[in-house]
């Protein structure tokens, strides 16, 4: 195929992906009450994650900031089209998240013709595992990172004179960034797999800089969670588990490549 033919092929893959996102977004738009009841759940003081952290606090014999019936902030819309705009964009992002496996399939369909036959056989496994990791990351972001961020930022106050009245776009932005960033972070094993295939990363390199990775993960956990050690450790543990899994994946790929050479 010529360069222009490749562009034409890519254009159709992009069009199919966009159509899938739009179709899901339309469904999400019609399910407004269901979608927004889920999105607004972390702003309620009785959200089950808060109750869980409250019980953990009681178990360790200290007073937890999560033991509250109502968070000290309200969500508001300060522009005429604010709520409608939030409805539209939330539906679109819901379409992107839910249609992610199909988008991944379209991306692979474009790349696959340029691969060897044995590499193409990995397509099904790649799409399934990558999609599973992404959705696990989305759930982790929504059920852990989002509540921790909302609780801390919504409760934070520099002065009793300043009341927290959060704009709806700001609130949804926190939820969206938490969910999508975790979805991407959970793709780490897949990324390491391909970087090892390309010879960019090795298990020796990852083991050598494991301590540095721990420090980075703890810093990230400290930034996105309230300032208590329990929350930071709970967030850091799954990310470090992913890192360790990535080391095993890198070692497996390297071993497999050496066996092919011999």
């Amino acid at each position: 195929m010529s360069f222009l033919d490749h562009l034409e092929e890519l254009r159709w893959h992009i069009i199919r992906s966009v159509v899938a996102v739009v179709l899901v977004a339309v469904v999400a738009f019609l399910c407004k009450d269901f979608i927004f009841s889920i999105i607004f759940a972390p702003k309620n003081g009785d959200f089950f994650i808060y109750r869980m952290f409250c019980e953990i606090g009681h178990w360790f014999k200290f007073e937890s900031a999560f033991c509250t019936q109502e968070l000290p902030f309200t969500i508001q819309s300060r522009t005429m089209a604010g709520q409608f705009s939030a409805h539209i964009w939330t539906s679109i992002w819901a379409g992107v998240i839910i249609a992610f496996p199909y988008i991944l399939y379209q991306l692979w369909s474009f790349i696959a013709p340029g691969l060897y036959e044995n590499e193409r056989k990995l397509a099904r496994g790649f799409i399934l595992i990558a999609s599973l990791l992404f959705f696990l990351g989305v759930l982790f972001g929504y059920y852990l990172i989002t509540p921790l961020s909302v609780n801390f930022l919504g409760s934070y106050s520099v002065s009793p004179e300043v009341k927290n009245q959060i704009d709806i776009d700001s609130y949804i932005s926190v939820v969206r960034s938490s969910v999508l960033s975790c979805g991407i972070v959970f793709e780490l094993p897949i990324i390491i797999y391909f970087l090892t295939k390309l010879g960019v990363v090795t298990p020796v390199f990852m083991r050598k800089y494991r301590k540095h990775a721990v420090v980075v993960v703890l810093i990230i956990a400290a930034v996105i969670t309230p300032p208590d050690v329990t929350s930071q450790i709970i967030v850091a543990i799954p990310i470090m588990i992913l890192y360790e899994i990535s080391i095993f994946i890198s070692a497996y790929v390297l071993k497999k490549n050496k066996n092919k050479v011999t």
Side-chain angles (χ1 to χ4, degrees):
M1 295 175 65
S2 66
F3 178 72
L4 292 178
D5 289 335
H6 278 295
L7 287 181
E8 178 67 15
E9 186 70 18
L10 177 61
R11 184 173 75 91
W12 279 108
H13 285 295
I14 293 174
I15 289 174
R16 293 188 192 102
S17 298
V18 171
V19 169
V21 170
V22 170
L23 290 175
V24 177
V26 169
V27 175
F29 187 87
L30 297 175
C31 299
K32 177 183 68 174
D33 294 337
F34 176 75
I35 294 291
F36 279 87
S37 65
I38 292 176
I39 290 176
F40 285 127
K43 72 171 285 294
N44 301 322
D46 61 348
F47 191 51
F48 79 94
I49 292 294
Y50 301 145
R51 296 200 305 271
M52 182 185 73
F53 275 94
C54 180
E55 291 298 325
I56 292 175
H58 290 160
W59 193 58
F60 283 104
K61 307 296 184 182
F62 66 83
E63 187 63 28
S64 175
F66 296 99
C67 298
T68 178
Q69 295 298 316
E70 185 177 355
L71 297 181
F73 72 92
T74 58
I75 298 177
Q76 62 179 358
S77 177
R78 297 179 298 164
T79 59
M80 185 67 72
Q83 295 196 49
F84 182 71
S85 177
H87 189 187
I88 291 289
W89 281 106
T90 300
S91 301
I92 292 173
W93 282 112
V96 172
I97 292 171
I98 296 172
F100 178 79
Y102 185 76
I103 296 172
L104 204 60
Y105 169 75
Q106 289 299 323
L107 175 64
W108 187 267
S109 297
F110 176 72
I111 298 174
L115 302 177
Y116 293 108
E117 184 62 31
N118 61 327
E119 293 173 327
R120 293 180 192 173
K121 293 178 180 179
L122 297 173
R124 292 181 181 177
F126 162 73
I127 294 171
L128 178 63
I129 295 172
S131 299
L132 179 62
L133 289 173
F134 178 77
F135 287 126
L136 284 175
V138 167
L139 293 175
F140 178 78
Y142 177 74
Y143 284 107
L144 192 61
I145 303 300
T146 296
L148 293 176
S149 301
V150 169
N151 183 279
F152 174 63
L153 297 175
S155 303
Y156 188 82
S157 176
V158 294
S159 169
E161 301 297 322
V162 182
K163 305 299 180 184
N164 284 332
Q165 296 179 333
I166 313 299
D167 191 77
I168 187 172
D169 288 335
S170 177
Y171 177 82
I172 292 177
S173 176
V174 169
V175 178
R176 181 180 63 243
S177 59
S178 299
V179 165
L180 290 177
S181 60
C182 287
I184 294 171
V185 167
F186 270 58
E187 295 292 337
L188 179 63
I190 298 293
I191 295 171
I192 294 299
Y193 174 86
F194 284 106
L195 289 179
T196 305
K197 276 279 190 180
L198 295 172
V200 177
V201 172
T202 64
V204 175
F205 174 85
M206 295 185 70
R207 292 190 185 102
K208 180 180 178 181
Y209 290 97
R210 180 188 278 117
K211 293 180 180 179
H212 300 78
V214 171
V215 173
V216 171
V217 169
L218 289 175
I219 291 174
I220 294 173
V223 170
I224 63 179
T225 61
D228 69 82
V229 177
T230 305
S231 301
Q232 294 169 16
I233 292 175
I234 290 174
V235 171
I237 286 175
I239 300 176
M240 285 309 304
I241 290 174
L242 282 174
Y243 188 84
E244 294 299 325
I245 291 173
S246 298
I247 293 177
F248 283 109
I249 291 174
S250 180
Y252 171 77
V253 172
L254 204 62
K255 182 179 179 180
K256 196 172 181 180
N257 289 342
K258 286 182 180 179
N259 291 336
K260 284 183 179 180
V261 172
T262 56

